[in-house]
Amino acid sequence: MLTALGEESDRIAGLELGADDYLAKPFSPRELVLRVRAVLRRASAQTPAAAQEKPREILTDGDLTLDTTAGSATRGGKELALTSREYELLEYLVKHPNKVFSREDLMAAVWGSGYGDQSTVTVHVRRVRGKIETDPSAPARLVTVWGRGYRWEPRTGGCDD
């Protein structure tokens, strides 16, 4: 916490509110840098080594690429503006091609079992289609299996024909 308030009561209040450190003005830039490094060292020591070195996983399906480490997707080299939930839904479907999932299945897998209304799935499928399909009104990748749910149709080529 960087502040002009330097009284002991202010420092105590800041630390009690969750600050890792408290630095009152005036301070030297060198002291600030050293304190930031100390906080980063402590944070790094608390993170397991396996979590720090998570391997980058890239999923490719035709002209669609998902970077699961970054949580981003591109189509034809252009970044898709997906919400985090839209991305999670897309990633789940791409990782399970040719399998039919009911709305209930997708709700449990992507939102979690205690989540609410299954129409949420329908809305998110429609939004994802709008961003990945050439013609969202005639989907070729994220298809509806009437009476059962949704299925991801993988692509082998580079375009959605």
Side-chain angles (χ1 to χ4, degrees):
M1 185 175 279
L2 297 176
T3 179
L5 305 175
E7 297 296 318
E8 180 185 14
S9 61
D10 297 322
R11 292 190 309 267
I12 289 170
L15 293 168
E16 284 179 338
L17 288 171
D20 285 318
D21 200 354
Y22 193 100
L23 189 57
K25 291 180 184 177
F27 56 84
S28 75
R30 176 141 173 78
E31 181 182 8
L32 173 61
V33 168
L34 292 172
R35 286 177 180 257
V36 168
R37 285 182 183 159
V39 169
L40 292 173
R41 261 193 322 271
R42 286 193 304 268
S44 175
Q46 294 174 357
T47 306
Q52 291 177 354
E53 299 174 18
K54 184 180 178 186
R56 186 165 225 93
E57 182 182 11
I58 305 293
L59 303 173
T60 303
D61 185 347
D63 64 344
L64 183 69
T65 302
L66 279 72
D67 181 337
T68 63
T69 307
S72 63
T74 58
R75 181 168 182 254
K78 294 180 183 171
E79 181 97 20
L80 298 175
L82 298 168
T83 66
S84 59
R85 197 66 78 181
E86 290 168 350
Y87 174 82
E88 290 167 9
L89 175 63
L90 179 59
E91 179 183 335
Y92 186 78
L93 290 164
V94 170
K95 283 184 172 181
H96 301 92
N98 299 312
K99 183 174 180 189
V100 178
F101 293 99
S102 68
R103 291 190 308 171
E104 184 176 79
D105 294 337
L106 291 172
M107 179 65 72
V110 178
W111 281 263
S113 59
Y115 207 78
D117 190 357
Q118 291 180 17
S119 64
T120 299
V121 174
T122 307
V123 171
H124 280 75
V125 165
R126 181 177 41 82
R127 289 181 181 161
V128 169
R129 281 179 176 157
K131 296 173 182 181
I132 63 155
E133 297 283 358
T134 302
D135 180 3
S137 65
R141 292 180 132 162
L142 179 45
V143 300
T144 300
V145 179
W146 294 107
R148 295 187 55 209
Y150 302 100
R151 178 180 62 225
W152 182 259
E153 293 284 337
R155 294 282 160 246
T156 55
C159 63
D160 220 14
D161 293 322

